[in-house]
C-alpha cells in the first residue's frame, strides 16, 4: 500500500503567467511507510505546517523513483527456533 501527498495546482500552467495569478509547484510524495499510511493525519498535519515532510523523514519523489524515507524501520520479528 502507498499514499500520495502533494500540492496540486488550481489551474494548468500557462506559457506566460499572469503576474496577478498565484502559481504553485507540484511536489509529489509517494509514501510506503506502513506507520505513516496508518496515520495519514500525521502526514497531513506535517505538510500543512511545513509544506514538506522532512520532519517525518520522507523526501519528495523524483523521476527516478518514489519518495526516499530516512525513517528507521522496525526490524521483523525474529523467527522461532528451527526444527
Amino acid at each position: 500500500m502507498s499514499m500520495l501527498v502533494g500540492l496540486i495546482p488550481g489551474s494548468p500552467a500557462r506559457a506566460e503567467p499572469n503576474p496577478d495569478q498565484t502559481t504553485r509547484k507540484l511536489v509529489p510524495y509517494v509514501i510506503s511507510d506502513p506507520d505513516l499510511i496508518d496515520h495519514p493525519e500525521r502526514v497531513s498535519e506535517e505538510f500543512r505546517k511545513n509544506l514538506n515532510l522532512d520532519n517525518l523523514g520522507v523526501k519528495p519523489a523524483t523521476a527516478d523513483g518514489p519518495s526516499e524515507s530516512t525513517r528507521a524501520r522496525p526490524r521483523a520479528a525474529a523467527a522461532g527456533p528451527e526444527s
Side-chain angles (χ1 to χ4, degrees):
M1 208 187 286
S2 65
M3 179 178 185
L4 179 64
V5 179
L7 183 61
I8 300 173
S11 63
R14 297 180 182 172
E16 294 182 29
N18 179 344
D20 299 328
Q21 183 178 9
T22 301
T23 57
R24 294 178 175 89
K25 179 181 178 183
L26 178 62
V27 180
Y29 288 86
V30 179
I31 300 170
S32 59
D33 183 320
D35 183 50
L36 294 177
I37 291 171
D38 289 343
H39 301 283
E41 68 281 358
R42 290 178 54 204
V43 175
S44 297
E45 181 67 17
E46 182 64 31
F47 194 80
R48 185 188 65 74
K49 285 195 288 188
N50 298 308
L51 297 179
N52 64 55
L53 301 178
D54 291 350
N55 290 337
L56 295 178
V58 180
K59 302 295 180 197
T62 66
D64 297 328
S67 297
E68 180 180 320
S69 178
T70 58
R71 288 173 48 112
R73 297 222 174 174
R75 294 183 181 194
E82 293 183 22
S83 312

